[in-house]
Amino acid sequence: MKFKSIFILFNAVIILSFCFVFAMPFIALGAEFALSFWKTSWPLGLLLLVILTGFDIFFMTNVKLFELLEREDWPALVQYLEDRVLKQHRYTQRLVKLLIHSYLVMSDPQSVIALEATLKKEKPQLLRKNTLLFGLSHVLKGDHAGAATLFLEQETNNGLTNEWEQWYLCFALLLQQKFSDAADRLITLAQHGKDSLVCALSALFLQDTIQKAVPEKAEQAKGAAETAKQRIKRTLPDRKAWNKELGKAQGEIHVIILAKSLDDAARYIYEEETQHANV
């Protein structure tokens, strides 16, 4: 639905609600009751007017942004956002995150990394909130050491509470062939991770990579991978449940770029089911 249509529809709903609430007593019960009702219920009318005014102000001040999004004019959108964020110094989470996504849609991870450097000086809290996006931008650029450095810095300063951030740190370490550094982290995610997709990816790389690359942890890696497989199957018992869970996250960039690995992880988790289907 177009943004202008949403704007008109929302206004219509609020106005109709206002009319219904304050006109119905008069129509149904008469002027005397309506006057009494209006005297006691005016805060509700004020609330509806405040909501409508706030929504209209938000829409009108961002109408150009909505138009560019609607047209999917990414170069113009980037220019508009750069003007608001970098030139006008309007560092808000909403604008910064949208600018990062716009850069990534245009396959421009270098600009994301430049924004990271700016936020590190100007708004470090926004760097923290968007660590995952900045980290995967390093990965997309091929700067695996930069990705690991960013995640490790944030882990030291604030802790990596997001399991995807923890997994991408492991991924960056694997891409640098720092298998021992990644092993314990992957084992922890496989055994205790709450996100089924992260847990499955951790199990896959423990099975396919860590067992071969870090022989001294092979048994531990194998056990953690099997634990992860059983944990996932308790939550997502079959491939249909897996696909449903995956569908919920497929709009996220950090999931989209791992489509092949997630498919491999699903085959590993549900290999018995796949084998039976092929018989």
Side-chain angles (χ1 to χ4, degrees):
M1 185 182 292
K2 293 184 177 180
F3 287 107
K4 287 183 180 178
S5 299
I6 295 174
F7 172 74
I8 294 170
L9 181 61
F10 184 84
N11 273 265
V13 169
I14 294 295
I15 292 170
L16 287 172
S17 299
F18 183 88
C19 292
F20 178 81
V21 169
F22 289 94
M24 280 303 293
F26 179 81
I27 296 171
L29 300 170
E32 186 177 347
F33 179 84
L35 183 61
S36 174
F37 175 79
W38 294 339
K39 285 180 179 179
T40 57
S41 302
W42 65 265
L44 176 59
L46 180 61
L47 176 62
L48 290 173
L49 289 174
V50 168
I51 292 173
L52 182 62
T53 302
F55 177 80
D56 287 354
I57 290 173
F58 174 77
F59 181 84
M60 296 308 296
T61 54
N62 292 278
V63 64
K64 185 175 180 180
L65 174 63
F66 294 138
E67 287 176 350
L68 293 172
L69 281 169
E70 195 172 285
R71 298 203 307 262
E72 296 186 0
D73 187 347
W74 302 112
L77 179 60
V78 164
Q79 186 176 4
Y80 172 80
L81 290 169
E82 285 180 337
D83 182 68
R84 295 189 72 178
V85 174
L86 301 176
K87 294 182 181 179
Q88 298 178 29
H89 302 285
R90 297 187 63 178
Y91 297 108
T92 68
Q93 169 63 2
R94 180 175 61 88
L95 293 177
V96 166
K97 190 171 183 178
L98 186 54
L99 179 56
I100 296 170
H101 278 279
S102 300
Y103 282 141
L104 293 176
V105 167
M106 293 181 63
S107 301
D108 186 9
Q110 181 56 49
S111 291
V112 182
I113 294 169
L115 178 61
E116 175 195 328
T118 300
L119 291 181
K120 196 170 188 177
K121 298 176 183 177
E122 302 288 340
K123 282 284 184 179
Q125 65 268 34
L126 288 181
L127 173 59
R128 172 67 194 99
K129 287 182 178 179
N130 296 285
T131 296
L132 178 58
L133 291 172
F134 287 119
L136 69 86
S137 296
H138 282 282
V139 171
L140 290 172
K141 187 176 179 288
D143 179 18
H144 308 137
T149 298
L150 172 64
F151 286 125
L152 288 169
E153 285 179 354
Q154 291 300 317
E155 182 180 57
T156 300
N157 296 332
N158 306 291
L160 297 178
T161 56
N162 185 316
E163 290 183 3
W164 279 105
E165 293 174 355
Q166 297 171 33
W167 189 86
Y168 266 97
L169 168 57
C170 295
F171 191 46
L173 293 170
L174 291 174
L175 290 171
Q176 296 176 81
Q177 298 187 0
K178 294 183 177 180
F179 304 115
S180 295
D181 293 341
D184 287 337
R185 295 174 181 274
L186 286 171
I187 289 169
T188 298
L189 284 173
Q191 291 176 329
H192 305 291
K194 296 180 180 178
D195 188 302
S196 295
L197 303 184
V198 170
C199 191
L201 287 167
S202 301
L204 175 70
F205 281 91
L206 286 170
Q207 179 70 19
D208 287 354
T209 304
I210 299 301
Q211 283 195 65
K212 300 171 185 175
V214 190
E216 64 273 21
K217 290 187 178 293
E219 284 303 314
Q220 192 177 357
K222 182 179 179 180
E226 286 299 318
T227 297
K229 183 186 282 193
Q230 298 308 314
R231 291 180 65 228
I232 293 167
K233 282 187 172 182
R234 284 196 294 269
T235 305
L236 306 172
D238 52 36
R239 192 67 182 265
K240 183 178 179 180
W242 166 272
N243 290 337
K244 186 176 180 179
E245 182 71 13
L246 181 60
K248 295 177 183 177
Q250 277 189 326
E252 301 292 340
I253 291 179
H254 60 270
V255 173
I256 293 172
I257 65 178
L258 291 170
K260 175 63 167 60
S261 293
L262 284 165
D263 191 48
D264 291 342
R267 279 198 297 270
Y268 168 65
I269 299 297
Y270 302 101
E271 58 185 355
E272 292 180 5
E273 180 181 318
T274 303
Q275 289 169 1
H276 290 156
N278 292 332
V279 173

